Amino acid sequence: MTGVFEMASGAEGVELLQENIALGKPMDQYSPSSTFASVRLLPVLSMLFDLAVTALDVKDAFLLVNQKEYMLAIIPRWIQNLLQDGATHWLLKKCLPVQRYAALRWNERFSSLCAAVGFEPFQVCPTTIRLIDDTRRIFLSVHVDDILLICKPGDVKWFTETAGKSVTMKVDGPRSQCEGSVLYYLKKISLFQEGVLIQPNGAYIPKLISPC
């Protein structure tokens, strides 16, 4: 697949505007995304097996993935004038967030990192992954660069040092069932001794509805 990105200068430097040419394979392939059912499933598993809940956010996930497609970026005119080397395009070596294939390539990368330490996806829901052996019981759900991790508190460190050793992750947790604490993974998840309350994230509500 070949693509060309048009770039322009913005307030903070070079800003990616759009992918304006795509040739070859169809570009309707995206990263698998977590369903609301999986968001509900994992907290239930945490209650059944007395496991803690942790939310992780991968920093600059797409920039960690090498390009598989042949992607060019048009160099802004003002940079061409500064460089004076005759170049009109850059060859992109890493994926960018606005690139249509980027989420898919990141998912392939993260899935391979998890598989290398023994995780396997559920066949009916590839974004829900599990590791069950003699010493650990771990479940996780992946939505692009957001991860919901269900495991014993001590296994969070093991996960970040094995499957997550090559990435930087912001870790919120582990949270136990009886803490009465709140964390965010697609939804607002509140943990109580009596159960789990899952609500829409309040920050998104104004974007979804407007007063009549």
Side-chain angles (χ1 to χ4, degrees):
M1 196 278 292
T2 300
V4 177
F5 286 95
E6 181 181 353
M7 308 184 77
S9 58
E12 299 181 356
V14 177
E15 178 185 0
L16 188 61
L17 289 183
Q18 64 180 344
E19 183 177 5
N20 58 8
I21 298 178
L23 303 173
K25 298 179 183 178
M27 298 190 65
D28 56 354
Q29 301 179 35
Y30 297 92
S31 173
S33 58
S34 296
T35 63
F36 185 44
S38 66
V39 179
R40 291 179 293 182
L41 171 64
L42 266 68
V44 171
L45 292 175
S46 74
M47 292 187 290
L48 289 176
F49 298 109
D50 191 25
L51 301 174
V53 182
T54 304
L56 305 103
D57 183 12
V58 180
K59 181 180 179 181
D60 298 329
F62 297 160
L63 296 177
L64 302 174
V65 184
N66 293 327
Q67 287 280 1
K68 288 188 177 180
E69 286 70 43
Y70 186 78
M71 304 300 299
L72 298 174
I74 300 173
I75 303 175
R77 180 66 63 183
W78 68 272
I79 295 181
Q80 294 185 39
N81 294 336
L82 286 174
L83 296 177
Q84 293 293 318
D85 59 2
T88 58
H89 293 75
W90 284 318
L91 177 65
L92 299 181
K93 295 184 177 181
K94 299 292 184 179
C95 289
L96 296 174
V98 296
Q99 183 183 338
R100 295 184 186 180
Y101 271 119
L104 176 63
R105 299 306 177 210
W106 158 249
N107 181 265
E108 293 172 348
R109 165 76 184 279
F110 184 74
S111 296
S112 67
L113 294 175
C114 290
V117 294
F119 282 88
E120 59 180 11
F122 285 90
Q123 291 186 355
V124 296
C125 185
T127 58
T128 303
I129 307 172
R130 62 184 174 183
L131 170 65
I132 301 175
D133 58 23
D134 295 336
T135 58
R136 294 182 176 86
R137 185 188 298 271
I138 303 176
F139 303 93
L140 63 91
S141 176
V142 184
H143 184 81
V144 191
D145 55 356
D146 293 317
I147 302 168
L148 186 65
L149 181 66
I150 309 297
C151 62
K152 293 291 185 183
D155 287 333
V156 175
K157 186 173 185 292
W158 175 87
F159 176 79
T160 58
E161 292 180 348
T162 54
K165 68 180 179 180
S166 63
V167 303
T168 300
M169 292 187 286
K170 179 182 177 181
V171 181
D172 181 6
R175 311 282 188 183
S176 65
Q177 194 64 45
C178 58
E179 282 186 8
S181 56
V182 175
L183 50 80
Y184 293 89
Y185 172 76
L186 304 184
K187 304 290 183 178
K188 178 181 178 181
I189 302 175
S190 304
L191 305 174
F192 302 103
Q193 188 170 4
E194 297 83 3
V196 178
L197 176 63
I198 300 177
Q199 302 167 284
N201 188 337
Y204 297 146
I205 293 177
K207 299 177 182 179
L208 299 175
I209 60 175
S210 60
C212 299

